[in-house]
């Protein structure tokens, strides 16, 4: 047994989701991504003396949405605090966040890894603002600062230390991004910084109930990087313990090029930030009516649709997972299934043809011209044997997109794609194929029975797919 097999990795996440609001958390600066550096700032986001913050109502509503979707308890009164620390890209010298009274407490999210369901508990969700961005690779001697991101609204989801592997972290991040997109509170694009996470990693001997000393890897903006950081860090900590050393609580940076972590600072705890209530912001007080209204506006959630597609539509987990990855596609599929019980046929169409077509054409589902009724009629032609699956996918589907106003049956007839069961028609084609391939006939008669597939293919081709 490897020495590494004696240990268990314990991981907790702090997930930061940038919210899709038009303005920043505490002022009216724009949040549009990709603007010229330092063009989306104001005296408030720059922290000028005498300026006062104002809460973005949408940020509060989005926090409640996410909390309800995760089964959290919504605090009827939450408060903002100042988290004091110095970074060059933090203009005020403190961050407005929530410490003692966050907006959401508790909750959970389920993961499926290696066909096993794991439940990860949520400790809390709080509202805060983002810092700016330090740019190190433009000027060889100086770090450049872009403060467009300073003050952008964030939700931070803090999990309990319930995760045990990089695969579980990847699945959780994927599920959280999917949920944020379903709720339409964030685009979840990690490459644009809309979603990132800090990983708190420790190791302990298997069977132990005590947690080891943790190290926090900051600002991982890629699931692949998160997995690599966890693999490196768990090995580093085990090697350190096995050699007689001790893990020191540290905040770490991860270098994706080398695949290694390095120490940014040691021994960082809550008291180091000198939290205190923000004197410029009143408490956030929510009424039962406000919470009920937000709850009534929640969309169908991905795990609910996944269960429905598996139980009601009898699809495999694999198919149901693919069909629920994107909210629009899932709802469109569900709409089609309300009009037909040909669930598997519709699933095959969506997975193998419709979704690849949208991706190849870079087309939004809202721009797809064929209605749910048209797609149902299309798959029914295949189910009823009127058009072969191959011909339907190769010829009828493209034609249907071009002439979406025409009924699929009428379109198939106009293109001469309707399959024929006429025995005289088929017999004539069979005779022609046999006559045209005397060498293959002799080989078949001598025992090469797998040639039957060749003959069937020739008949199909000669019939134009109508046989």
């Amino acid at each position: 047994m490897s020495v590494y097999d004696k240990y268990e990795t314990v991981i907790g996440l702090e997930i930061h989701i940038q919210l899709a609001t038009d303005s920043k958390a505490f002022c009216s600066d724009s949040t549009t991504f990709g603007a010229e550096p330092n063009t989306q700032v104001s005296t408030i986001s720059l922290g000028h003396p005498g300026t006062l913050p104002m809460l973005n109502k949408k940020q509060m509503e989005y926090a409640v949405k996410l909390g309800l979707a995760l089964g959290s308890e919504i605090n009827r009164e939450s408060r903002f605090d100042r988290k004091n620390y110095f970074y060059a890209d933090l203009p005020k010298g403190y961050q407005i966040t929530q410490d003692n009274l966050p907006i959401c407490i508790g909750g959970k999210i389920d993961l499926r890894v290696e066909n096993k369901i794991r439940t990860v508990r949520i400790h809390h969700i709080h509202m805060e603002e983002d810092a700016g961005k330090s740019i190190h690779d433009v000027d060889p001697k100086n770090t450049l600062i872009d403060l467009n991101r300073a003050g952008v609204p964030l939700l931070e989801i803090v999990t309990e230390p319930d995760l045990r592997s990089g695969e579980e972290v990847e699945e959780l991040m994927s599920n959280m991004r999917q949920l944020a997109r379903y709720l339409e509170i964030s685009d979840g694009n990690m490459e644009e910084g809309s979603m990132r996470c800090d990983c708190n990693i420790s190791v302990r001997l298997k069977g132990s109930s005590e947690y080891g000393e943790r190290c926090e890897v900051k600002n991982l903006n890629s699931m692949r990087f998160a997995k690599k950081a966890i693999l490196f860090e768990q090995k580093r900590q085990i090697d350190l313990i096995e050699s007689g050393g001790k893990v020191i609580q540290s905040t770490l940076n991860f270098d994706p090029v080398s695949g290694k972590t390095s120490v940014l600072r040691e021994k960082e705890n809550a008291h180091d930030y000198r939290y205190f209530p923000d004197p410029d912001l009143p408490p956030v007080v929510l009424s039962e009516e406000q919470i009920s209204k937000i709850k009534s506006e929640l969309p169908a959630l991905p795990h609910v649709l996944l269960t429905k597609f598996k139980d009601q539509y009898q699809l495999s987990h694999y198919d149901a997972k693919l069909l629920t990855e994107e909210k629009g596609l899932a709802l469109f599929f569900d709409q089609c299934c309300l009009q037909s019980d040909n669930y598997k046929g519709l699933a095959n169409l969506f997975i193998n043809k419709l979704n690849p077509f949208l991706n190849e054409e870079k087309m939004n589902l809202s721009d797809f011209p064929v209605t749910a009724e048209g797609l149902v009629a299309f798959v029914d032609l295949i189910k009823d044997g009127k058009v072969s699956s191959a011909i339907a996918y190769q010829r009828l589907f493209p034609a249907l997109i071009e002439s979406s106003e025409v009924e699929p049956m009428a379109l198939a007839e106009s293109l001469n794609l309707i399959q024929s069961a006429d025995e005289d028609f088929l017999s004539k084609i069979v005779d022609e194929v046999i006559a045209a391939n005397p060498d293959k006939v002799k080989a078949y008669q001598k025992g090469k029975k797998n040639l039957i597939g060749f003959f069937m293919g020739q008949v199909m081709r000669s019939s134009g797919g109508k046989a």
Side-chain angles (χ1 to χ4, degrees), residues 122-294:
I122 306 297
H123 183 273
H124 74 269
I125 302 169
H126 66 259
M127 298 182 285
E128 63 183 23
E129 61 179 342
D130 208 347
K133 183 179 181 182
S134 297
I135 303 163
H136 309 289
D137 56 359
V138 174
D139 189 298
K141 295 182 179 179
N142 300 295
T143 292
L144 306 182
I145 304 294
D146 179 8
L147 295 175
N148 282 349
R149 202 172 69 187
V152 163
L154 300 177
L155 294 181
E156 181 171 329
I157 304 122
V158 180
T159 77
E160 298 285 3
D162 291 344
L163 297 136
R164 298 291 178 265
S165 69
E167 287 73 24
E168 291 184 2
V169 169
E170 182 177 36
E171 181 70 7
L172 187 145
M173 291 293 289
S174 178
N175 288 359
M176 199 65 75
R177 179 177 63 184
Q178 180 190 43
L179 182 59
R181 289 174 173 174
Y182 264 69
L183 295 173
E184 298 181 9
I185 64 173
S186 175
D187 59 26
N189 290 333
M190 297 188 76
E191 63 275 12
E192 295 181 1
S194 297
M195 187 173 176
R196 53 193 190 273
C197 72
D198 303 336
C199 290
N200 292 283
I201 305 163
S202 64
V203 296
R204 64 184 178 186
L205 289 171
K206 288 180 178 175
S208 173
S209 59
E210 293 185 12
Y211 293 122
E213 199 68 67
R214 65 178 175 84
C215 291
E216 181 182 21
V217 186
K218 297 289 284 186
N219 284 327
L220 294 162
N221 64 351
S222 153
M223 295 180 200
R224 183 166 57 90
F225 292 166
K227 284 179 70 174
K228 288 177 70 175
I230 290 164
L231 285 171
F232 177 83
E233 190 58 21
Q234 65 190 22
K235 183 178 184 302
R236 183 190 74 83
Q237 292 186 24
I238 292 169
D239 288 344
L240 188 59
I241 294 167
E242 287 291 314
S243 65
K246 289 185 177 181
V247 176
I248 298 173
Q249 182 182 325
S250 309
T251 300
L252 308 175
N253 179 59
F254 175 70
D255 181 358
V257 177
S258 67
K260 298 178 179 180
T261 61
S262 58
V263 176
L264 288 171
R265 49 193 179 274
E266 292 182 357
K267 281 282 183 185
E268 196 170 71
N269 292 303
H271 65 261
D272 296 319
Y273 293 120
R274 306 186 321 279
Y275 285 101
F276 67 87
D278 192 301
D280 294 332
L281 285 161
V284 178
V285 180
L286 291 165
S287 67
E288 297 301 327
E289 290 76 18
Q290 283 176 297
I291 296 172
S292 296
K293 183 176 185 298
I294 294 170

Side-chain angles (χ1 to χ4, degrees), residues 34-93:
E36 287 295 310
N38 300 307
T39 58
Q40 298 183 163
V41 294
S42 65
T43 54
I44 297 177
S45 58
L46 294 176
H48 285 199
T51 56
L52 293 172
M54 302 167 289
L55 175 62
N56 186 328
K57 185 181 177 184
K58 276 290 180 188
Q59 181 178 21
M60 176 273 293
E61 291 175 353
Y62 287 175
V64 174
K65 259 189 178 184
L66 182 61
L68 291 171
L70 291 170
S72 304
E73 174 65 28
I74 309 301
N75 268 336
R76 272 49 178 178
E77 181 176 317
S78 62
R79 294 177 183 270
F80 285 102
D81 301 277
R82 291 186 180 181
K83 180 181 182 182
N84 297 274
Y85 60 98
F86 175 78
Y87 282 125
D89 52 15
L90 191 70
K92 294 191 294 287

Side-chain angles (χ1 to χ4, degrees), residues 22-24 27-31 40-46 150:
D22 293 329
S23 56
K24 292 185 181 180
C27 64
S28 59
D29 300 352
S30 172
T31 58
Q40 298 183 163
V41 294
S42 65
T43 54
I44 297 177
S45 58
L46 294 176

